Amino acid sequence: MNIFWTNTKRTVFGLATAAAMCMSLSGCYFLPEEEEYLDPPVVKASEVSYTTTTATKKDITKQVTTAGTIASGTEENVYFASYGGTIKAVYVSAGDEVQEGDLIAELETTELDEEIYIMELEMQREELEVQIAIENGESETVKAKEQLDVDLLQIDLDKLYAEKEASKIYASVSGTISYVKTVSPGQTVSAGSTIATIIDLSDLYIKISPSSETSEFLIGRSITIRYDGEYYDGVIVSNSSGKQWDEETEGVLYDENGDEILGETSDDVIVAFVDDIPESSAVGNSADTVLVLDSREDVIVISANLIKTVNGQQVVYVFKDNERVQVSVETGLQSGSLVEITSGLEEGDEVIIR
C-alpha cells in the first residue's frame, strides 16, 4: 500500500472538513457582503386643479311653451257649389277687406251667354205672337196657347239665368280675405274647391294642447303669443275643465260658497288675441303660446346639475381658500336646467364644475 497516497487523501479530507466547519460559524465569511436596501422615494402629490363657474345674479322664469295654429272664429270658404268650369276672373287678393255680397270670382260663360241671348230673342218673338193674337181679336183659346208658349219659354230662360248666376260667387260674410286659390283666367276649377277664405280678424285665436301644467291654463288668465318673431297679448278663453282664473288669488276662481265658477269648455285650450293682431296671412300658420307660471328677479342662479345630495342634504362644492369646500344650499324656483339658490351661496362664489 502506498503510504504517501493515503496520507495525501487524509490531508485533503481534513482540509475540506475544516472549511465546512468554518463556513458554519457566524464569524467566518467567504461570500461577498449583501448590498444595503434603501427606503422607497417619497413622491409628493401635485396640486389638484378644478374647473369652476362664478355664482351670479340674474332673472329666472318658469314658463310653459306650447305650439299651436292660428285660426279665426269666423271663417267662411267661398267656392262654386253647383258646377266647376273655366275661371274668367278672381276679383280679390289676400288681405282685402270685403263686405257681404261682394263679387269674389266668376267662371267663363261665353256659350251660356249666347244661349241666353238666343232664348231672349225667342221670348221677344213669343211675346209678339201674344200681342198679335190680341190685336187680331183671336179667340181666347188661341191667345191662351200663345201665352202658354211664352210661359214655357220663360221657365227655360230662368234656368239659364240661374246657371249664369251660379257661375259667380260672392262674399257670404263681411271680413278679410285670408286665402285665395292660385288660379289664373283660363284654368279649370271643380265644384266645391275653395277659391277664397274670408275671416274676421277680430276673432283670431290659437288652439293648443299643453303637455304639462295643464291645470294652470285657466280661463281668463293672461298668456303671451309668439308669432313670426313678434309677441302679442293673449287670454285663455276656453279649456277642458271650465275652471277660471282669479286675478286676486292667482288661482282657481270660487264663488262665495266655495264652489268653482266654471266657464266655457272645449277639448283643447283656446287662446284669443287681445288688441293687437297679426296680418290675415297668419291664419293657418304655427305660433307659440308662453304661459309664465312664476318668476324671480336678481337672484343667484346656477345649473341644477351642480347640486348634489349628500346624506339627504343638498350641497354644492365651492373653491375657497385654495380648497374644495362642501356647502349646504337651499333652492327656490327651478326652470329647465337652472335653479334659484335661496341660501348657501353668495354672489361671486366659485362653484366647482369638476
Side-chain angles (χ1 to χ4, degrees), residues 283-333:
V283 174
N285 293 335
S286 296
D288 294 328
T289 61
V290 181
L291 179 63
V292 176
L293 301 179
D294 202 353
S295 64
R296 302 284 189 276
E297 295 182 354
D298 198 32
V299 295
I300 294 177
V301 176
I302 66 172
S303 178
N305 61 13
L306 298 179
I307 302 174
K308 312 300 180 184
T309 301
V310 177
N311 296 327
Q313 178 70 42
Q314 288 184 310
V315 303
V316 298
Y317 295 96
V318 300
F319 189 66
K320 183 179 295 185
D321 298 329
N322 293 322
E323 292 183 354
R324 178 175 179 266
V325 180
Q326 178 180 300
V327 177
S328 297
V329 295
E330 293 183 3
T331 59
L333 183 63

Side-chain angles (χ1 to χ4, degrees), residues 36-55:
E36 183 180 358
Y37 288 100
L38 300 177
D39 292 332
V42 177
V43 179
K44 292 185 178 181
S46 60
E47 293 185 1
V48 179
S49 61
Y50 298 103
T51 301
T52 64
T53 182
T54 304

